[in-house]
Amino acid sequence: GQGLLAWEREMPHESHGNFVENALIKNSVENLTRVVKNQHKHVTKELDMISSVIQDLKKGKTTRAVASTELSRLVGRMQVLKRKLEDIDQEEETQMEHMDARLRLLKENQEHVDDTRCAIKENKRLDRYLADHLARQGMLETASMIIKEEKLENFVDLDVYKEAAPILAALLEGDCSPALKWCQANKTKLKKAKSNLEFLLRLQSFVELVRKEALQEAVQYARKHLGPSCKENFVTVKKYMAILAFQRDTDVQPYKGLFETDRREELAQQFKKEMCLMNSVSSQSLLMITLQAGLTCLKTTRCVEDPEPESGCPVCHPILSQIAHDLPIAHHMHSTLVCSMSGAIMNEHNPPMALPNGNVYSTQALMDMAGSNMGQVTCPKSGETYEFSDLRKVYIS
């Protein structure tokens, strides 16, 4: 809740390295490269066509009327090309603005500032992380509100998630067509990355046809799209072909598992992973990366064996403990004692004191309790009450 956000906001700027932010620049470079390639593709295509027509006209085999018509058509195409290039130039300028803003942000992150400016920077960083995380979770409207309010347009790749949202929604409904269209648009990159996403989508499309009992259409689809991959994936294709005989209501494994709707979710996650890779976006949100790094540094064996949700320890927090569950335990050369009553560190200025039942709390917390309770203290764990004079100091060797 609010306490968690406050804890994140209070983290010093030195704890964040620019290595966490490298996706900012990677994505800008990727987008700029895409724009330049798109521009080159349009220009090359049109110039080749124009050159071909002009060469034909030079041969003098056409009438004046036909030549005039061809030239008018060329002028029209060149005007269309001009408008396309103007749009591409505008997009290129936008991408350059994004890159410039992100480079300046990385430079500012290296500058040491006073506490006030540091707090402002960290608040801005948290807003950016939250917007990115929400966009990844499909909460695009909420993310857009944060981006607009905090002026983060140059720092959050919202367009990537907007493009992915309808594709993911379709996959969860069993429609692989939008995802396959995306694969065709990114075919070269996927092949370079040795991705099997398109093959998995083809398999799922085949399953969906069988699920609808469109068996003839499923066979035709398999021949067209799975046949070319049969040599490299014979065992997998063979297994999927068997569902034509078992169909969707079968209880026989592994064919029953192929009809499970959980496979749609797995495919959606695979698409997310590939989409992030193609756009040079980190597979996890920066918010999760930062949280995991922080929780790993704070996690101790006590957090695992005897967590105390009310102690103020972030790792013991009911929600954060789910994130920290699979994280490694930090290696600490020196132990730090934290009062489970107040959350304050116990040291020479606030030494630990033991109750007769053996439970230990900080001196300051016990004095505050005794001061408001007529010299008596009550153990938060057992509920037993003692006189403050019955407490004894604890010395740590």
Side-chain angles (χ1 to χ4, degrees), residues 163-164 167-168 171 175-206 221 225-226 229 233 236 240 263-279:
E163 180 188 5
I167 300 176
L168 290 169
L171 284 174
D175 182 8
C176 299
S177 300
L180 285 167
K181 186 177 179 181
W182 180 87
C183 286
Q184 287 300 312
N186 295 273
K187 191 171 184 177
T188 304
K189 290 183 181 178
L190 288 170
K191 185 177 180 180
K192 187 177 180 181
K194 297 182 180 179
S195 169
N196 66 340
L197 177 62
E198 184 176 355
F199 176 67
L200 295 176
L201 290 169
R202 296 294 183 190
L203 289 173
Q204 188 63 31
S205 296
F206 173 74
Y221 186 90
H225 298 291
L226 298 181
S229 305
N233 304 278
T236 303
Y240 273 79
R263 298 187 69 83
R264 296 175 179 177
E265 176 64 32
E266 292 173 6
L267 203 55
Q269 293 300 322
Q270 177 73 11
F271 171 79
K272 272 187 183 180
K273 180 180 177 181
E274 300 289 352
M275 180 271 296
C276 289
L277 180 62
M278 294 302 104
N279 290 280

Side-chain angles (χ1 to χ4, degrees), residues 57-79:
L57 292 177
K58 279 183 177 181
K59 295 177 182 178
K61 295 181 180 180
T62 57
T63 63
R64 183 181 294 273
V66 172
S68 178
T69 301
E70 287 295 324
L71 289 173
S72 297
R73 188 168 66 87
L74 286 181
V75 171
R77 291 185 68 100
M78 292 179 72
Q79 289 174 342

Side-chain angles (χ1 to χ4, degrees), residues 13-29:
H13 71 278
E14 288 86 354
S15 64
H16 294 278
N18 275 345
F19 64 91
V20 179
E21 310 277 19
N22 61 2
L24 282 173
I25 299 303
K26 279 187 175 181
N27 183 256
S28 289
V29 172

Side-chain angles (χ1 to χ4, degrees), residues 125-366:
R125 188 197 303 269
L126 180 57
D127 290 330
R128 179 159 51 86
Y129 285 9
L130 283 172
D132 174 77
H133 185 75
L134 290 170
R136 286 171 181 265
Q137 300 303 312
M139 304 176 189
L140 296 173
E141 291 186 10
T142 306
S144 297
M145 290 173 61
I146 296 176
I147 291 170
K148 184 177 180 181
E149 184 175 341
E150 300 299 329
K151 298 179 174 58
L152 300 172
E153 290 84 355
N154 289 331
F155 308 106
V156 180
D157 302 307
L158 193 61
D159 291 342
V160 174
Y161 308 122
K162 282 183 176 180
E163 180 188 5
I167 300 176
L168 290 169
L171 284 174
L172 294 175
E173 293 296 324
D175 182 8
C176 299
S177 300
L180 285 167
K181 186 177 179 181
W182 180 87
C183 286
Q184 287 300 312
N186 295 273
K187 191 171 184 177
T188 304
K189 290 183 181 178
L190 288 170
K191 185 177 180 180
K192 187 177 180 181
K194 297 182 180 179
S195 169
N196 66 340
L197 177 62
E198 184 176 355
F199 176 67
L200 295 176
L201 290 169
R202 296 294 183 190
L203 289 173
Q204 188 63 31
S205 296
F206 173 74
V207 171
E208 299 299 339
L209 288 171
V210 178
R211 193 196 305 276
K212 296 174 184 176
E213 298 184 352
L215 301 185
Q216 187 174 355
E217 187 179 349
V219 171
Q220 292 174 350
Y221 186 90
R223 285 174 177 170
K224 181 178 179 180
H225 298 291
L226 298 181
S229 305
C230 191
K231 186 176 180 180
E232 297 83 5
N233 304 278
F234 178 75
V235 175
T236 303
V237 173
K238 180 181 176 181
K239 181 174 72 173
Y240 273 79
M241 289 299 100
I243 66 175
L244 288 167
F246 289 96
Q247 299 194 24
R248 64 182 181 182
D249 56 351
T250 182
D251 291 325
V252 179
Q253 292 290 5
Y255 310 110
K256 180 181 178 180
L258 300 181
F259 287 107
E260 295 289 343
T261 53
D262 289 348
R263 298 187 69 83
R264 296 175 179 177
E265 176 64 32
E266 292 173 6
L267 203 55
Q269 293 300 322
Q270 177 73 11
F271 171 79
K272 272 187 183 180
K273 180 180 177 181
E274 300 289 352
M275 180 271 296
C276 289
L277 180 62
M278 294 302 104
N279 290 280
S280 296
V281 177
S282 58
S283 56
Q284 278 190 307
S285 71
L286 295 179
L287 179 64
M288 288 300 297
I289 293 173
T290 305
L291 278 175
Q292 289 175 351
L295 292 173
T296 300
C297 294
L298 297 171
K299 188 174 181 180
T300 65
T301 53
R302 180 67 179 270
C303 299
V304 177
E305 297 171 358
D306 186 21
E308 298 181 5
E310 304 300 327
S311 66
C313 171
V315 184
C316 297
H317 190 281
I319 296 176
L320 290 179
S321 62
Q322 299 175 34
I323 301 174
H325 183 268
D326 295 324
L327 298 176
I329 295 174
H331 176 66
H332 295 278
M333 296 296 294
H334 302 285
S335 298
T336 300
L337 299 181
V338 179
C339 176
S340 60
M341 185 187 300
S342 65
I345 294 176
M346 293 185 284
N347 51 28
E348 66 274 14
H349 304 295
N350 186 24
M353 294 190 73
L355 275 59
N357 63 4
N359 291 331
V360 177
Y361 304 98
S362 67
T363 299
Q364 190 60 52
L366 292 170

Side-chain angles (χ1 to χ4, degrees), residues 45-105:
K45 181 180 177 181
E46 292 298 325
L47 289 181
D48 286 346
M49 189 278 298
I50 291 170
S51 176
S52 176
V53 172
I54 290 176
Q55 290 297 325
D56 289 341
L57 292 177
K58 279 183 177 181
K59 295 177 182 178
K61 295 181 180 180
T62 57
T63 63
R64 183 181 294 273
V66 172
S68 178
T69 301
E70 287 295 324
L71 289 173
S72 297
R73 188 168 66 87
L74 286 181
V75 171
R77 291 185 68 100
M78 292 179 72
Q79 289 174 342
V80 172
L81 176 61
K82 180 184 177 184
R83 287 194 293 271
K84 284 183 179 179
L85 291 178
E86 286 174 352
D87 293 338
I88 293 173
D89 284 342
Q90 181 60 45
E91 187 178 358
E92 184 178 350
E93 185 176 343
T94 300
Q95 294 300 331
M96 289 297 292
E97 289 176 0
H98 287 179
M99 182 175 289
D100 179 63
R102 294 179 183 199
L103 287 170
R104 282 190 279 108
L105 174 67

Side-chain angles (χ1 to χ4, degrees), residues 359-390:
N359 291 331
V360 177
Y361 304 98
S362 67
T363 299
Q364 190 60 52
L366 292 170
M367 288 178 65
D368 291 342
M369 180 183 288
S372 59
N373 197 29
M374 300 178 64
Q376 294 183 325
V377 294
T378 301
C379 178
K381 294 183 179 179
S382 66
E384 298 171 284
T385 301
Y386 305 99
E387 294 293 333
F388 188 81
S389 58
D390 294 334

